[in-house]
Amino acid sequence: MVVVSPALWDTRSVRSTALLPLSALYACGIRIAETLAGPPRRAPVPVVCAGGALVGGSGKTPVALALARRLRLTQPALDVHFLSRGYPGSSRGPLRVELARHDAQRVGDEALLLARGGPTWVARRRIEGAVAASDAGAQLLVMDDGLQHHGIHRDLSFLCVDARYKTGNGRLLPAGPLREPFHKALARCEAVVAVMPSCSASPTQSGALDEERLRDELVAQPARSASSPRFDHSDAKSLTNALFLITTR
């Protein structure tokens, strides 16, 4: 029996190759899920996604926090909310996260981290969370993960990549760490975010997130400035063709 482990995903070993038939079945499942999902629904407000192509941590949550901080710097009046699936919490949502009331068992660890940076909503069906956030006054949503969630339209997507690990052995689950072929994920994104290992580590590895440091170390070169007093679905593209690099001192 082949045991799947992170080490197995580092190289194209014999053990990894033995799992390729299962990866082929997984690829079929991806195509079926995409077909059944139908066309994505557009949220009432723009949605900016910090997503990844690999299972596990690739720095999506720190990038989502940094993106929101930068948006607030360029648009101080913009009411930015976070949107998360809330994995592995039990709540199906839509639910606004309250740090004083909710714990990781209810809303998941990542939602609690996001809630420290701004209003945060969890919802298994992201479009329902987007509608609830919009009703509560959100003008733009930063969605943590969700690149493979086909039920909601994304106005702008950033592909987060661990600068050291990259794509592992480049194979689909379970032979490799990829949720989908990397080129397909890349084709749906407007920019790539290279995340240094210490930023992409899990909270238990890296300790509490320092949002100020993440903001200061976010280097961006937007294609055109976001000068509108309010973002809408069209000028959300003002951040396209940007390359973000998060580093640590």
Side-chain angles (χ1 to χ4, degrees):
M1 177 179 179
V2 179
V3 179
V4 178
S5 67
L8 177 68
W9 295 341
D10 292 344
T11 61
R12 297 193 172 189
S13 63
V14 174
R15 291 193 302 158
S16 171
T17 302
L19 291 172
L20 285 178
L22 294 179
S23 295
L25 291 176
Y26 177 79
C28 291
I30 292 175
R31 290 192 290 270
I32 293 172
E34 290 175 350
T35 302
L36 294 177
R41 292 177 56 188
R42 186 179 289 273
V45 296
V47 175
V48 176
C49 174
L54 278 68
V55 295
S58 55
K60 296 182 292 292
T61 300
V63 169
L65 286 163
L67 282 171
R69 292 298 295 266
R70 188 165 188 88
L71 286 166
R72 293 180 183 125
L73 282 174
T74 58
Q75 301 286 339
L78 188 67
D79 194 356
V80 180
H81 290 209
F82 294 105
L83 179 61
S84 171
R85 180 177 181 269
Y87 180 83
S90 60
S91 176
R92 298 190 61 86
L95 175 70
R96 182 165 180 167
V97 178
E98 298 181 29
L99 291 173
R101 293 182 52 202
H102 299 139
D103 57 17
Q105 289 186 334
R106 181 80 183 277
V107 298
D109 293 329
E110 292 167 349
L112 293 177
L113 291 173
L114 292 170
R116 292 168 52 192
T120 299
W121 298 80
V122 296
R124 298 288 174 87
R125 297 189 64 201
R126 261 31 98 74
I127 188 64
E128 294 179 356
V131 171
S134 175
D135 290 344
Q139 295 173 300
L140 184 143
L141 291 170
V142 175
M143 184 165 63
D144 181 16
D145 208 354
L147 191 60
Q148 288 77 34
H149 183 77
H150 302 287
I152 188 171
H153 172 80
R154 297 175 297 274
D155 294 273
L156 183 62
S157 296
F158 292 86
L159 181 61
C160 302
V161 179
D162 187 307
R164 182 178 61 182
Y165 189 69
K166 300 181 179 65
T167 61
N169 62 14
R171 289 174 168 174
L172 287 177
L173 288 167
L178 289 175
R179 297 173 172 179
E180 63 174 322
F182 187 78
H183 70 275
K184 290 187 63 177
L186 188 61
R188 297 201 308 276
C189 296
E190 283 74 26
V192 174
V193 184
V195 185
M196 298 305 290
S198 57
C199 283
S200 60
S202 67
T204 56
Q205 294 171 319
S206 60
L209 289 175
D210 186 340
E211 294 179 45
E212 291 292 337
R213 187 188 68 188
L214 287 172
R215 184 200 65 188
D216 293 341
E217 293 171 352
L218 185 65
V219 180
Q221 296 179 340
R224 52 188 184 275
S225 63
S227 56
S228 171
R230 176 187 172 97
F231 267 36
D232 60 24
H233 290 285
S234 59
D235 60 22
K237 294 293 184 181
S238 62
L239 293 177
T240 56
N241 299 324
L243 175 63
F244 284 77
L245 175 63
I246 294 180
T247 60
T248 55
R249 293 190 180 96

